[in-house]
């Protein structure tokens, strides 16, 4: 996954945004920010633009912010689309 700031989330397709949201969700469920991170977890975090892992509180907040930004972008794009067309 590429490194994306909130501003260039607009450059992603809806499919890419959904994949990003799923990746973030998986990370949030899997990672314990108070335990050492595996190299795979660190790579996943880096792909999301997170490079600082030493502060568990900050890591958690950054993951939440990225998830919120992604969900807001998905919501903005789909607010006028009938539900049946999204599946």
């Amino acid at each position: 996954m590429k490194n994306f700031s909130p501003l260039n989330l607009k450059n992603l397709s809806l499919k890419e945004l959904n994949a990003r949201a799923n990746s973030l969700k998986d990370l949030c469920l899997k990672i314990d920010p108070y335990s050492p991170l595996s190299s795979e977890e660190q790579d996943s975090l880096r792909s999301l633009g997170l490079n600082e892992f030493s502060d568990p509180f900050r890591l958690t907040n950054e993951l939440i912010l990225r998830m919120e930004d992604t969900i807001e972008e998905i919501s903005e794009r789909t607010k006028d689309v009938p539900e049946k067309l999204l599946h």
Side-chain angles (χ1 to χ4, degrees):
M1 183 179 286
K2 299 173 189 169
N3 180 4
F4 287 100
S5 71
L7 292 178
N8 57 14
L9 287 177
K10 297 196 179 302
N11 297 330
L12 295 177
S13 69
L14 191 54
K15 183 177 180 178
E16 291 170 317
L17 285 168
N18 283 316
R20 178 182 168 86
N22 286 331
S23 293
L24 284 161
K25 176 184 166 191
D26 290 344
L27 279 170
C28 288
L29 292 172
K30 184 169 77 168
I31 287 179
D32 175 1
Y34 293 93
S35 297
L37 300 171
S38 70
S39 59
E40 179 184 303
E41 291 168 334
Q42 290 180 23
D43 289 343
S44 295
L45 290 167
R46 282 187 187 101
S47 74
L48 295 165
L50 296 164
N51 297 306
E52 178 57 49
F53 315 125
S54 62
D55 182 350
F57 182 74
R58 183 172 181 186
L59 176 59
T60 302
N61 283 340
E62 288 296 326
L63 280 169
I64 291 168
L65 288 172
R66 280 167 172 70
M67 179 60 93
E68 286 176 347
D69 290 344
T70 303
I71 290 171
E72 285 175 14
E73 184 64 27
I74 292 169
S75 178
E76 182 65 29
R77 291 190 196 184
T78 59
K79 66 181 176 186
D80 295 326
V81 178
E83 179 70 25
K84 65 182 179 182
L85 295 178
L86 296 176
H87 298 286

